[in-house]
Amino acid sequence: MKIPQHVAIILDGNGRWAKAKGMPRNYGHAQGSKNVETICREAWNMGIKYLTVYAFSTENWKRPDDEVNELMKLLRNYMKTCLKTAEKNHMRVRVIGDKTGLDEDIRTRIDELEKASANNDGLNFQIAINYGSRDEMIRAMKRMAADRDAGKLGINDITEEVFSSYLDTAEIPDPDLLIRTSGEERLSNYLLWQLAYTEFYFTDVHWPDFTKEELAKAIEAYNRRDRRYGGVREE
């Protein structure tokens, strides 16, 4: 079986999972957060090298204040937990998204986590926080424009590869497989540039119930796809 090098996941359904159990939405977010560590471990055991998860989007700020506050509290706690997990499992952790929109203490914890795990040789784990693909591309174009104004970049120097180097995911290969849980079938402003040739897999399973068996199902479905590039089938 061919294992995708890079899997991206939209972690959806935490709130609906909690509601179905008669629990508050924040309980679902907490359980979903715990499941991330499990899937990181299982992904690495399966041979996946890169895993990128959509944790908090630029649009999530529009949610009720109490839910956003709880998500930020959960994020703070998760940064501590992830630091220990990265050390234990030798994960390299990177955060993509507009970090300037986060509180200073969260930015500090992100910086500590990225620096502490920078030389780890296990799973490359990317967390999208305050991330939106359109926002990412706008930020990239602003940096490109600044470099052009400074004489560092000519108009004819701009290629797909150069543009990619200005994105948050620079030096990270594009995903081979995208998984979205909880039955929704849209990208929700996630990795729009990077997903150009990615296979999509949608499942009705809510994220807290997404197990290694469900991950295996997604990879099996990926293997059944007839992947072609420019008319040539990928072997």
Side-chain angles (χ1 to χ4, degrees):
M1 179 179 291
K2 183 178 177 62
I3 302 298
Q5 176 183 217
H6 184 178
V7 174
I9 307 179
I10 299 176
L11 315 177
D12 201 8
N14 292 329
R16 278 166 282 179
W17 178 86
K19 183 178 179 180
K21 295 181 177 296
M23 301 295 288
R25 288 178 60 85
N26 293 331
Y27 175 74
H29 293 310
Q31 294 305 117
S33 177
K34 291 179 181 179
N35 196 38
V36 170
E37 180 177 354
T38 299
I39 296 303
C40 280
R41 182 177 62 251
E42 298 301 337
W44 178 250
N45 289 339
M46 290 179 181
I48 294 167
K49 304 300 183 185
Y50 294 82
L51 182 69
T52 304
V53 300
Y54 207 4
F56 191 89
S57 75
T58 51
E59 289 78 18
N60 284 158
W61 296 109
K62 299 175 183 177
R63 293 186 178 188
D65 289 344
D66 59 341
E67 183 175 357
V68 171
N69 291 336
E70 284 298 319
L71 285 169
M72 289 298 108
K73 180 180 178 181
L74 182 62
L75 179 58
R76 287 180 170 90
N77 293 333
Y78 182 73
M79 288 295 109
K80 293 180 182 178
T81 302
C82 195
L83 187 60
K84 297 176 183 177
T85 303
E87 181 179 2
K88 180 176 68 175
N89 298 331
H90 307 287
M91 294 193 311
R92 180 180 181 182
V93 185
R94 284 170 279 195
V95 172
I96 63 174
D98 184 5
K99 300 172 192 174
T100 64
L102 301 171
D103 289 344
E104 183 177 358
D105 66 307
I106 296 178
R107 296 199 305 270
T108 298
R109 292 182 186 184
I110 290 173
D111 186 58
E112 291 172 350
L113 176 58
E114 291 182 330
K115 287 180 179 177
S117 67
N119 295 319
N120 288 348
D121 58 2
L123 179 72
N124 287 272
F125 180 44
Q126 293 72 233
I127 313 171
I129 302 174
N130 194 29
Y131 176 88
S133 189
R134 290 181 176 181
D135 174 73
E136 175 191 31
M137 287 189 274
I138 292 294
R139 288 186 285 108
M141 286 187 284
K142 286 180 177 179
R143 290 194 295 272
M144 289 176 65
D147 281 352
R148 183 164 186 259
D149 290 345
K152 299 177 181 179
L153 184 69
I155 189 69
N156 293 324
D157 296 329
I158 300 174
T159 62
E160 288 187 13
E161 291 73 22
V162 169
F163 182 71
S164 292
S165 73
Y166 282 85
L167 295 173
D168 297 346
T169 52
E171 300 180 359
I172 298 169
D174 291 342
D176 303 292
L177 173 65
L178 168 76
I179 300 170
R180 181 164 187 157
T181 57
S182 198
E184 301 294 345
E185 297 185 4
R186 58 181 183 274
L187 297 182
S188 296
N189 198 18
Y190 185 47
L191 300 175
L192 301 181
W193 176 272
Q194 297 86 343
L195 295 177
Y197 294 101
T198 301
E199 297 292 340
F200 296 169
Y201 178 83
F202 302 107
T203 175
D204 291 333
V205 175
H206 297 316
W207 173 246
D209 285 334
F210 191 84
T211 61
K212 66 178 181 180
E213 290 78 15
E214 294 299 330
L215 180 58
K217 287 181 185 178
I219 294 174
E220 288 170 4
Y222 168 82
N223 273 266
R224 292 194 295 270
R225 305 286 173 83
D226 186 22
R227 289 172 61 78
R228 294 177 180 273
Y229 293 97
V232 178
R233 188 180 187 279
E234 180 190 14
E235 297 300 335

